[in-house]
């Protein structure tokens, strides 16, 4: 019988916890990482609030794009800082999950904007002259 010379296909949690892992485990967070994630999340929440409540930008479309961009950045911050997604963890599969999530978020945001635009265009066709004649 020949000894096993390669890493097992599936590692159990006890082997990973006791330091007998072969490097395929999940990443672990640090206090600094959690604090950094929290501060970034707070800032990325406050900026869109300020943009809307302070009426900072003249264009509503530009404001919407800034808010969506900051939302995407915040999702990535949460995934990296709190879910510990990086290219080394889990043999690279968490990076694939990050890429999949970014694609899904892009599709969702684009679809939401498309629906809101068409609802506004098709459900609110009144001109100012039509509004004057409303009871």
């Amino acid at each position: 019988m020949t000894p096993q010379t390669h890493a097992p296909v599936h590692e159990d949690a006890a082997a990973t916890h006791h330091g007998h892992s072969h490097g395929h485990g999940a990443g672990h967070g640090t206090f600094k990482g959690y604090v950094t994630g929290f501060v970034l999340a707070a800032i990325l929440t406050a900026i869109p609030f300020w943009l809307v409540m302070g009426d900072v930008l003249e264009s509503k479309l530009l404001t919407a794009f800034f808010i969506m961009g900051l939302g995407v950045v915040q999702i990535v911050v949460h995934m990296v800082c709190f879910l510990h997604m990086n290219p080394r963890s889990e043999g690279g599969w968490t990076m694939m999950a990050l890429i999949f999530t970014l694609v899904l978020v892009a599709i969702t945001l684009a679809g939401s904007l498309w629906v809101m635009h068409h609802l506004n265009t098709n459900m609110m066709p009144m001109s100012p002259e039509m509004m004057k004649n409303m009871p």
Side-chain angles (χ1 to χ4, degrees):
M1 184 167 147
T2 60
Q4 186 176 3
T5 58
H6 55 83
V9 176
H10 176 73
E11 294 180 348
D12 63 340
T16 303
H17 178 70
H18 293 294
H20 302 293
S21 174
H22 296 282
H24 299 291
H28 298 285
T30 62
F31 181 73
K32 180 182 174 186
Y34 284 118
V35 170
T36 302
F38 175 75
V39 169
L40 286 173
I43 291 170
L44 290 169
T45 300
I47 291 173
F49 184 79
W50 169 71
L51 284 173
V52 171
M53 296 305 290
D55 201 22
V56 176
L57 302 174
E58 295 290 327
S59 170
K60 292 187 187 295
L61 184 65
L62 188 61
T63 303
F65 279 119
F66 268 117
I67 290 171
M68 285 192 316
L70 290 169
V72 170
V73 171
Q74 189 167 22
I75 288 170
V76 173
V77 165
H78 285 149
M79 292 178 75
V80 171
C81 292
F82 301 124
L83 298 178
H84 315 298
M85 291 189 163
N86 59 44
R88 300 172 309 278
S89 183
E90 296 290 335
W93 281 106
T94 56
M95 185 54 68
M96 292 297 290
L98 175 66
I99 293 168
F100 175 74
T101 302
L102 290 176
V103 168
L104 197 65
V105 166
I107 291 169
T108 304
L109 287 175
S112 297
L113 284 177
W114 182 77
V115 167
M116 287 189 289
H117 170 73
H118 283 281
L119 282 174
N120 185 42
T121 302
N122 297 325
M123 300 299 288
M124 304 296 285
M126 289 188 183
S127 66
E129 292 80 26
M130 292 172 70
M131 286 299 293
K132 289 178 187 175
N133 296 328
M134 291 295 292

